[in-house]
Amino acid sequence: MIGALNLERPSGERFRDAEIMAMETLAGQVATALDNAHLYARSRQTVRELSDSLAQLRLAQAQLIQSAKLAAVGQLAAGVAHEINNPLTTIAGLSELMLPDLPEAGGLRDDMALILRETQRARSVVRRLLDFSRHPEPHRDLTDLNALVHDTVLLIYHAAIARNIYIAEAYAEDLPPTQLDANRMKQVALNLLNNAVQAIARGGHIYVDTGRSRRDAAPGVWLRVRDTGCGISPENMERIFEPFFTTKSPNEGTGLGLSVSYGIVQDHGGIIEVESIINQGSTFTVWLPVAGRG
Ligand SMILES: Nc1ncnc2c1ncn2[C@@H]1O[C@H](COP(=O)(O)OP(=O)(O)O)[C@@H](O)[C@H]1O
Ligand SMILES: [Mg+2]
């Protein structure tokens, strides 16, 4: 039963048989119509739920593919880095030994100094790559994220001012101390800040702030670096966390900053998110879980 129909005559007279029959037919039709309307609403709801879960499934799949791809590329790169590290060590060591014995005249010593510098540069890239892939046992202490970020801002402050970039810092006062590998997390902050500086060609702003928020009910803290720089195109957006992906000249970028940062944040159980509008700027947010109620 989906409802009841109550009919009365104002005069109180009884309905005739034919009238009752007509009413019964009508009631049947109304009932069918109501039933159909309910069914329709329910099927619309089901369709909506299905398309929601389909969208969630697609998102989860895309994230899975992305992290599997990063892991594979990371392993490959780590293998290559190991192979390259040894010969580079030999070249750097021998150049250093030979340098003082070379004659100043004729430029030989300068050439050797250049070989040494370039080899050291290559080694530092390789070392960073190994750091990224090794996932060393994290060394964590209760850390004040605000102080860590501010210390890192100081490192790039002068480079920024020299490029007409102004940095505004806004730190949340109620931030709980967080279990962090401070050195590695500094590296994350430095990478994000360097990228922000490099994204701004002719003057601009970098906004650095921190706060606390929950994700899936887990308490955490976040660090955000926003710049008014060149922004990231949608095609590049899919690749920025890949090792060696860079849009910069070899002097400016190695393409390792974000992939290393991604690994570090992941080791902390956190998440890096990016939003960007081309020619307007980018926002990188790092969220990190904190123990307890936060
Ligand atoms: N704040 C930013 N604004 C614009 N582009 C960015 C920003 N951060 C990262 N990118 C893009 O992501 C690429 C990869 O960044 P990263 O891994 O730090 O390597 P690198 O800085 O050495 O190029 C950069 O080359 C750049 O194209
Ligand atoms: Mg970088």
Side-chain angles (χ1 to χ4, degrees), residues 128 191-192 194-195 198 248 252-258:
R128 279 159 68 188
N191 282 331
L192 296 182
N194 268 334
N195 283 345
Q198 289 174 335
K248 299 169 189 172
E252 270 210 305
T254 56
L256 287 176
L258 285 180

Side-chain angles (χ1 to χ4, degrees), residues 17-268:
D17 283 351
E19 285 173 329
I20 291 174
M21 242 166 69
M23 284 304 164
E24 276 174 358
T25 316
L26 186 64
Q29 278 167 6
V30 169
T32 313
L34 278 177
D35 231 7
N36 282 343
H38 282 149
L39 278 178
Y40 179 66
R42 222 178 309 149
S43 70
R44 292 260 306 232
Q45 174 69 17
T46 314
V47 167
R48 245 197 318 272
E49 282 169 10
L50 269 179
S51 75
D52 279 357
S53 24
L54 195 65
Q56 279 169 6
L57 197 65
R58 289 225 174 94
L59 189 69
Q61 231 167 19
Q63 283 167 350
L64 204 63
I65 290 172
Q66 180 65 4
S67 48
K69 201 166 83 178
L70 285 180
V73 180
Q75 265 169 14
L76 187 74
V80 174
H82 264 297
E83 293 295 323
I84 293 179
N85 197 33
N86 291 340
L88 286 180
T89 307
T90 312
I91 296 173
L94 286 179
S95 330
E96 210 165 354
L97 275 180
M98 287 161 75
L99 196 61
D101 296 340
L102 288 174
E104 290 248 25
L108 262 187
R109 192 186 287 194
D110 283 349
D111 290 350
M112 187 55 84
L114 183 64
I115 291 177
L116 182 60
R117 272 204 308 281
E118 293 290 80
T119 312
Q120 277 162 347
R121 193 157 72 92
R123 281 188 68 204
S124 85
V125 170
V126 167
R127 247 196 317 270
R128 279 159 68 188
L129 188 61
L130 286 174
D131 280 349
F132 161 62
S133 56
R134 222 182 266 133
H135 288 258
E137 267 310 294
H139 172 80
R140 293 192 193 158
D141 289 314
L142 272 183
T143 309
D144 175 358
L145 182 69
N146 287 341
L148 182 151
V149 175
H150 178 66
D151 286 350
T152 316
V153 167
L154 292 181
L155 292 178
I156 61 138
Y157 203 78
H158 291 287
I161 295 295
R163 295 169 80 140
N164 272 332
I165 298 169
Y166 292 91
I167 304 179
E169 296 161 86
Y171 299 115
E173 279 168 16
D174 59 346
L175 226 52
T178 312
Q179 284 287 347
L180 295 178
D181 189 328
N183 280 329
R184 301 182 79 214
M185 200 48 68
K186 253 188 203 166
Q187 212 180 322
V188 172
L190 187 62
N191 282 331
L192 296 182
L193 287 164
N194 268 334
N195 283 345
V197 169
Q198 289 174 335
I200 299 174
R202 256 174 274 103
H205 286 85
I206 298 176
Y207 302 93
V208 182
D209 54 353
T210 57
R212 52 199 295 181
S213 68
R214 285 173 181 275
R215 280 191 91 107
D216 298 332
V221 295
W222 51 260
L223 150 68
R224 187 165 54 185
V225 177
R226 186 155 68 85
D227 66 65
T228 58
C230 58
I232 302 168
S233 71
E235 311 90 83
N236 288 348
M237 190 61 112
E238 296 183 359
R239 305 196 53 201
I240 56 174
F241 290 103
E242 286 177 19
F244 298 118
F245 176 78
T246 182
T247 54
K248 299 169 189 172
S249 72
N251 293 332
E252 270 210 305
T254 56
L256 287 176
L258 285 180
S259 65
V260 168
S261 302
Y262 183 94
I264 295 173
V265 171
Q266 208 177 36
D267 277 350
H268 283 79

